[in-house]
Structures are given as C-alpha cells and as structure tokens.
Amino acid sequence: MTIGHWHSRADRALRAATTATRQQPPGSAADINAVVNARSAVYAQLIRATELLAGGRPAVERLDRAGATALMARRGQRLTQFYAGLRAAALVDRRFPPSGSWVSAEPARSLRRAADAVGVIGDILACHVPPGQRPPTPEGFAIRRGGGVPAGLADIARLTSSLVVLDMALPGWLDHGQGHLTEIYRPVAEAARWTANSDLGRTARDLIVAGKGQSSLHGLDIARSPLDPAPDVRTVDDAVAAVAAARSWLWQYPEQLTGVHLQLGTQLGLAAHVAVSDEVPAKVGGWRRAAIAAAELRATPPVGLARDAAGELTEALRWMRSHLADGSDGKARDLGRLNSELPFLAATLHRGLSAAVRRGDLFVKAEGALTRPAGSLVFRAVERWRPARSHDDVVQDLGRGLLERRDLDNVGELGKAAARAFPRPPRPRSPMAQAPPNPPTAEVAPGRACGRSR
C-alpha cells in the first residue's frame, strides 16, 4: 500500500487519540504508560521520516528544549527548526516501562496505530532512499534531487500538527490520575506543555504552505520483484505494478538489461503515450523514435530475474495493445496512471542502454557480404552483426528518443501518484554519456524488499 494510504491511517489514528483523551480518563498506570510510550514512538517515527526525506539530520547538534526554543525563534531554516522541534518534543526526562498488549486505553491503541502507520511510511522511503547509500530506484534518484520532498515534508508536518493538538489535551488527561500518579507523570506533562506552547505548530504550518501545489509522494510504494510467471494484467493497476516491478529491478541491475527489454519498454511507452495523447501516432516523437531504433538491435536472451522482468513488460504490453484495440476513449483518464510511469521507464532504459553498450551485449547490422556457395554460380548476401558502439546511428537514435520523453511535459497533470511528477534526471552531456555506477542493494526494513537478484 502507498504512502498516501498510510498517511491517511496515521492522521485518522491521531485524531481518534485526541478525541479519546478528551472523553476517556486514564484507568490505570498501565494505560498511562501505554499512551506515553506510544506518543514517543510516533515522534520517533516522524523524526525518522524527516531524516529520510532530508537526506540526513537537518540539525546535527542535539538540542534540549531551551535550545530548540531559541532556534525556532529565528527566521528562516524552516526544516532545521522543524526537526529540532520534533526532537525536543520527543524528550521526556523519565523512562516508563512498556505495557502489555492487554492495555485497553483507547488513546494508547490509536497512538500505536499511528506509530505503526508512520513507521511504514519510513520503511517505504528507506527502500528508495536508504541512509548513507546511493538510491536504488528511480524514485529515490529523484527524491535525492528534491522531487516530491516539499510535499513529503508537508505530509509529515500535517501529522505533527495533529500530534501537537493531542499534546494540548494530554496534560489535562494526565491530571485525571489519582494521587501519586500525577507526580510520576509530571515529566510527560511538561514535555506536552512545551510542545503545545512552542513554535513547532507554526513551523509545521510553514512547511505545509511550502508543500502546496508540489509533486506528491502519496503514490509511492515498495515495488515488488519481477515474478515468474508474470501475473496476468487485467486492469491499469496490474499494468502499473508490472511496469514498476520491471523497471525498479532493471534500475538496480542495469547490467542485466538486454535488447528484449529495450524493445518491450519502448513499444509499451509508445502504446501508452498514444493512448492518452491527442496526437496521431505518426507525430509521437521520442517514444516512436526509440521504438523504431530498438527494433533494429539484437542481444543475448535475458536469464533469471532479467527474463522475469521481460515477462512483466510483455504482459503489460499485451494488455495495453488489447486496450488500444478496444478503442475505449473513456478510459484514457485511467491510463494516465500508466503513462505517468513512462518518465522513469525511459530513464531506466537509457541507463541500461549505456551499460549494455559498454558491455558489448547489443548488436547492430554490419555491412553485408556477398558469398558464393561451393558449386553455385549465384552470389548470395549474408547478413552480419557486430557489437553496437555508442556512436552508431541506431544507438544514438535510441538514446535521443529515450531522453526526449515528451510525456514529461504533461506529467504534472497526470495525477500526484507515486512520486512520478519529478524533475527529469540531469541530462548527460551526450546522449550516450556514462551512467552512474550501480547502486548497492538498499537497506530494507524487515519483511520488505525493493528487489532481489537470482
């Protein structure tokens, strides 16, 4: 499920927790412990998500609440102030023992759901932008260049604003404790009062305003690995999943890309572009040029997961062609979601093309030769192939077609899903410029994966 799904779940859970603190007094010390620990867990996950979006710690120095108050009073440095405020809000001067799963306090259950949801958001981000590593996916590549980051920080800021509202109600909820409990939980009440009276809420609102109208990360998810056999594609959601699985794996392992991937990918790009474009096929530029050039290449057959990635593209292309044959103009809006995959598909194919040319695994037609079989008076033309080079016309045409990616001009109107509306990756100095080195495998949260090799 996507970041947008988990963000909605976290927001609903935080609102439910706030309502419960105003309506249900704590029943026992175990209930209070559960709420306190769950509150700290939500702040910890918000801090983690902020670090992943920012590419590190915006404020290296560890500040106490007084230092955070002074920092947030300055002008500018919104992200640094926001991060310092989050860390200060999470500070509680006393540790409280964890409570068992039997705790029934509604604020605790809702806060735990919120912490889990924000944690999944962090897992998805970590799959694309692992700390201290090169991004292993095109989405991560774009995020590291600022794509979707303002909107992503705005989403974190919205959740923080909801948590600040809960902190406003928390001291009153804790005051319902009887006798010595009020004194025991005084550090928690002080932390909540500081948060409620600090500039953290204002800083969060500034980030929300800065993220308006920016490309959203709500559609970002962890792409599955290519499967064998490729799942049947019956809907546009299936097609998007198939393309995402194939191009995410090929981005991580560009040395596995073959001519089959180039042919399938460019044909799929052309078909999807035509389906949502008002232009006639003869005028579709980049994808048409790339598809024609790719059809003239040959390569060794793919194996392992590279073969599975080709199967995913094959199934998506089959569905796309059957959709075009139906002539269903009313479905063009739905196809926009598939069309929004094309910028990253093109970038992935271009990256793999560079690697395949360097590897000498692509072949182009060489000049034919005339041979005369023994005992024959007739000369026959023999077709010959040689390894492709970066300066060959067909390779140049394919590279230029993939770089053109005219669909990028309209990608902002195709919806705000899955970090697809990003700035294009930096254009190389030549169509076949060197691609960046292969990224290492991402650090992945337990039970999740960005890709695998066979």
Side-chain angles (χ1 to χ4, degrees):
M1 296 182 182
T2 64
I3 279 183
H5 168 83
W6 293 108
H7 182 274
S8 298
R9 289 191 61 168
D11 185 63
R12 289 195 301 269
L14 288 174
R15 293 176 186 275
T18 301
T19 301
T21 56
R22 292 168 176 167
Q23 297 176 352
Q24 302 177 17
S28 64
D31 289 343
I32 300 177
N33 285 350
V35 169
V36 170
N37 290 327
R39 171 190 178 273
S40 297
V42 177
Y43 272 115
Q45 295 297 345
L46 291 173
I47 290 169
R48 177 193 178 212
T50 302
E51 291 175 351
L52 289 167
L53 286 170
R57 295 182 176 180
V60 178
E61 182 182 1
R62 290 182 175 271
L63 299 174
D64 56 14
R65 286 198 282 266
T69 300
L71 178 62
M72 288 191 289
R74 304 173 188 169
R75 292 186 177 182
Q77 300 179 326
R78 275 195 305 254
L79 178 56
T80 302
Q81 293 172 340
F82 177 70
Y83 180 77
L86 282 177
R87 295 195 68 90
L91 290 175
V92 177
D93 296 335
R94 181 173 179 176
R95 290 181 175 270
F96 297 91
S99 301
S101 58
W102 51 267
V103 173
S104 60
E106 171 52 32
R109 292 202 304 269
S110 294
L111 281 174
R112 177 51 60 185
R113 287 196 298 270
D116 291 343
V118 181
V120 176
I121 291 175
D123 291 344
I124 295 174
L125 290 172
C127 191
H128 296 280
V129 283
Q133 298 185 31
R134 185 183 296 274
T137 65
E139 290 93 337
F141 185 79
I143 289 172
R144 278 291 166 263
R145 281 150 182 79
V149 172
L153 290 172
D155 288 337
I156 299 301
R158 289 186 184 93
L159 297 177
T160 301
S161 296
S162 297
L163 197 51
V164 170
V165 173
L166 177 122
D167 277 348
M168 293 178 181
L170 191 58
W173 185 79
L174 293 171
D175 283 343
H176 284 86
Q178 298 178 357
H180 65 286
L181 291 181
T182 301
E183 185 62 30
I184 290 175
Y185 295 103
R186 186 178 300 279
V188 182
E190 291 175 351
R193 289 192 184 96
W194 178 88
T195 304
N197 296 321
S198 71
D199 285 335
L200 179 58
R202 175 191 58 78
T203 307
R205 289 191 295 273
D206 290 343
L207 287 178
I208 293 171
V209 171
K212 286 184 177 179
Q214 300 295 316
S215 304
S216 174
L217 293 173
H218 278 189
L220 192 64
D221 200 354
I222 296 176
R224 59 173 174 80
S225 297
L227 301 178
D228 180 27
D232 292 340
V233 174
R234 296 187 177 91
T235 66
V236 68
D237 291 336
D238 296 338
V240 169
V243 175
R247 56 97 175 153
S248 294
W249 187 84
L250 289 170
W251 180 271
Q252 293 184 63
Y253 305 100
E255 71 281 357
Q256 298 292 328
L257 186 137
T258 69
V260 173
H261 301 111
L262 290 168
Q263 292 165 3
L264 292 171
T266 53
Q267 291 170 24
L268 177 62
L270 177 60
H273 190 89
V274 169
V276 299
S277 175
D278 294 333
E279 303 177 42
V280 296
K283 294 184 179 180
V284 177
W287 283 113
R288 181 178 177 81
R289 180 184 300 113
I292 292 173
E296 299 181 21
L297 292 171
R298 296 293 183 271
T300 54
V303 296
L305 273 176
R307 181 187 62 240
D308 299 345
E312 298 272 9
L313 292 175
T314 299
E315 185 62 18
L317 179 59
R318 178 203 61 76
W319 177 84
M320 187 72 250
R321 285 174 170 169
S322 66
H323 187 91
L324 286 175
D326 292 341
S328 304
D329 296 335
K331 297 181 180 179
R333 183 181 303 176
D334 293 336
L335 288 177
R337 293 189 53 236
L338 177 59
N339 197 46
S340 63
E341 281 282 346
L342 300 186
F344 281 165
L345 177 60
T348 301
L349 295 177
H350 185 271
R351 188 167 184 258
L353 171 63
S354 302
V357 169
R358 291 196 305 269
R359 194 171 64 246
D361 197 36
L362 294 178
F363 303 90
V364 296
K365 282 185 178 181
E367 291 185 6
L370 293 176
T371 62
R372 187 176 69 180
S376 174
L377 297 177
V378 179
F379 285 84
R380 297 181 180 180
V382 177
E383 189 177 72
R384 292 183 177 180
W385 294 80
R386 62 169 176 79
R389 302 182 182 91
S390 60
H391 57 74
D392 287 330
D393 289 342
V394 64
V395 177
Q396 293 279 336
D397 286 346
L398 179 53
R400 281 193 291 266
L402 292 173
L403 279 177
E404 188 172 332
R405 301 194 306 280
R406 292 179 59 180
D407 52 301
L408 274 173
D409 297 336
N410 299 320
V411 73
E413 302 172 4
L414 298 174
K416 297 179 178 180
R420 312 298 201 255
F422 286 150
R424 70 184 67 196
R427 184 183 293 272
R429 280 173 286 186
S430 67
M432 288 307 306
Q434 295 279 332
N438 299 344
T441 303
E443 292 178 359
V444 187
R448 303 181 183 277
C450 291
R452 54 189 173 91
S453 61
R454 178 179 295 169

